[in-house]
Amino acid sequence: MSTEFNELLPVSATDKSQIWIIGTREQVLHTINEFYVKRIATDRVKFTPIIPAPFEGKYMSVLVR
């Protein structure tokens, strides 16, 4: 990407990246545990609580890094 394009992006340097996990409740919980064991997330507190997703039968959690 060029510098001109990067200047147009509405993201500041202080914004944190997010990883969205969407699936069944069991899939989301398994992925949270897997991220913790593989040390992608250093603490489970960095995940939002598991909530219903806007898709039928799906749940979601967000990891803010």
Side-chain angles (χ1 to χ4, degrees), residues 30-44 47 63 65:
H30 177 76
T31 304
I32 289 172
N33 291 333
E34 185 177 5
F35 280 12
Y36 180 70
V37 168
K38 291 183 177 180
R39 298 184 185 201
I40 295 171
T42 56
D43 193 356
R44 287 186 174 98
F47 290 94
L63 167 63
R65 298 184 66 174

Side-chain angles (χ1 to χ4, degrees), residues 6-7 9-17 65:
N6 286 337
E7 290 172 358
L9 292 173
V11 179
S12 70
T14 60
D15 285 344
K16 296 184 178 187
S17 62
R65 298 184 66 174

